[in-house]
Amino acid sequence: MGELPLDINIQEPRWDQSTFLGRARHFFTVTDPRNLLLSGAQLEASRNIVQNYRAGVVTPGLTEDQLWRAKYVYDSAFHPDTGEKVVLIGRMSAQVPMNMMITGCMLTFYRKTPTVVFWQWVNQSFNAVVNYSNRSGDAPITVQQLGTAYVSATTGAVATALGLKSLTKHLPPLVGRFVPFAAVAAANCINIPLMRQRELQVGIPVTDEAGQRLGHSVTAAKQGIFQVVVSRICMAIPAMAIPPVIMNSLEKKDFLKHHPWLGAPLQVGLVGFCLIFATPLCCALFPQRSSIQVNRLEPELRAQIQEQNPGTEVVYYNKGL
């Protein structure tokens, strides 16, 4: 066997990102919880393989499958724009196990105000870490901005949950089970834009098809953040809509009446099953490397691009996750 050629484009995902199926296969790999079990040495080894290959140096004996595996391990742990290692619970591979526990508990302990407040706070704390870790671009965000986003989203989620909880007191029990979903949806609309407010102020990097940076765009940032909000809300629907219906039915059966302690683990298990599929499929709703027409950009940036790159009609950006 000869040495691995240097023309494999590992800047892009392995599968065609212009199709939903290709994006789904990509995100099933990115969100694989088994990536959390990799040691620091394994992550560094994968980073070295990827960085060496990009520099034109092929690790001896490296196969194409090993190269792609290293690329996905690298992508699972390091930010695509800054190159910094993402904190463990902020990685996309942590989405399923973390959300399985948090969402399962939100759906189980929704009846009492203290537990509603506690689990909404836990959820927004986790979301704050994820949103910061998977932000688009390399613009810094201040501690004050982080604190404002965190407090605002947590307050919004708790207020929504408690407000709806009081409104559903006299409605059928099944309706009350959907209060956590409404709170999560409202919080996503608050948390993500606030956590990424720096992008809305200075814009995110936009590039041409070859990856050459052309400037920063606030319009692209708005489009990317909107897509992420939609994906996150859709991601929560199966995990927060299907288990309540099933649990509402099961709790009327004699088995759970005699074994009430099984309710929480059963709910967490149902949520986890839904998230295994919902997380990658909803991440795949929009291309990670999204595009926007030049004529939709800010006038100054549009004029700059048309002057320096007159043939460019579409620019690309990393929408974040």
Side-chain angles (χ1 to χ4, degrees):
M1 292 179 62
E3 190 176 81
L4 196 66
L6 288 170
D7 59 356
I8 300 171
N9 185 12
I10 59 170
Q11 294 293 115
E12 300 294 331
R14 187 172 192 176
W15 298 281
D16 182 6
Q17 297 299 284
S18 65
T19 68
F20 176 76
L21 181 60
R23 294 195 295 272
R25 293 182 70 181
H26 166 70
F27 280 109
F28 267 108
T29 305
V30 169
T31 60
D32 187 345
R34 292 175 298 180
N35 288 335
L36 294 174
L37 303 176
L38 298 173
S39 67
Q42 288 173 304
L43 295 179
E44 287 300 323
S46 294
R47 177 159 72 169
N48 290 336
I49 288 173
V50 169
Q51 291 182 338
N52 287 343
Y53 187 84
R54 286 174 179 168
V57 179
V58 178
T59 303
L62 187 69
T63 66
E64 184 172 350
D65 284 341
Q66 289 172 337
L67 174 64
W68 281 112
R69 172 60 181 160
K71 178 251 191 314
Y72 274 102
V73 168
Y74 174 77
D75 287 351
S76 76
F78 297 91
H79 191 278
D81 292 327
T82 65
E84 65 186 18
K85 187 184 287 187
V86 176
V87 64
L88 192 69
I89 64 169
R91 299 173 192 171
M92 289 309 293
S93 48
Q95 283 284 296
V96 171
M98 289 297 296
N99 277 323
M100 180 174 74
M101 179 192 71
I102 295 171
T103 304
C105 289
M106 280 196 294
L107 293 176
T108 302
F109 307 111
Y110 68 95
R111 292 184 175 91
K112 296 181 180 179
T113 298
T115 55
V116 169
V117 172
F118 175 75
W119 285 108
Q120 288 294 338
W121 167 73
V122 170
N123 186 49
Q124 290 313 310
S125 299
F126 171 64
N127 283 344
V129 174
V130 172
N131 292 338
Y132 176 74
S133 300
N134 294 284
R135 68 199 182 282
S136 175
D138 47 16
I141 184 168
T142 67
V143 175
Q144 182 180 358
Q145 289 170 329
L146 280 174
T148 301
Y150 174 62
V151 171
S152 301
T154 304
T155 303
V158 171
T160 303
L162 295 181
L164 291 175
K165 181 175 177 289
S166 65
L167 291 175
T168 57
K169 280 182 179 178
H170 305 295
L171 295 176
L174 180 59
V175 177
R177 288 181 178 272
F178 289 98
V179 168
F181 168 68
V184 166
N188 274 327
C189 295
I190 300 170
N191 193 327
I192 296 172
L194 282 173
M195 192 60 64
R196 296 174 59 174
Q197 62 187 285
R198 178 72 177 169
E199 299 170 33
L200 296 173
Q201 294 168 353
V202 302
I204 57 176
V206 293
T207 69
D208 59 17
E209 192 170 6
Q212 179 182 352
R213 188 173 293 194
L214 303 175
H216 287 73
S217 170
V218 171
T219 303
K222 291 177 181 177
Q223 178 173 294
I225 289 171
F226 173 76
Q227 291 174 343
V228 171
V229 170
V230 171
S231 295
R232 293 286 186 85
I233 292 175
C234 290
M235 196 184 298
I237 290 174
M240 302 192 82
I242 297 173
V245 175
I246 295 174
M247 291 303 297
N248 194 61
S249 175
L250 289 177
E251 285 180 359
K252 297 175 183 177
K253 308 292 184 184
D254 290 339
F255 181 75
L256 272 188
K257 286 180 180 178
H258 294 144
H259 305 85
W261 58 272
L262 282 174
L266 185 57
Q267 182 114 256
V268 170
L270 286 170
V271 168
F273 179 77
C274 292
L275 285 172
I276 287 172
F277 299 97
T279 300
L281 293 177
C282 291
C283 282
L285 288 176
F286 304 99
Q288 180 65 33
R289 188 188 184 217
S290 290
S291 61
I292 185 171
Q293 295 286 332
V294 170
N295 58 21
R296 292 181 54 200
L297 298 174
E298 302 88 317
E300 302 84 0
L301 179 59
R302 185 193 319 149
Q304 177 186 317
I305 292 173
Q306 289 173 343
E307 179 184 345
Q308 298 177 358
N309 302 271
T312 303
E313 297 181 357
V314 177
V315 293
Y316 302 86
Y317 61 91
N318 171 26
K319 69 175 177 63
L321 288 171

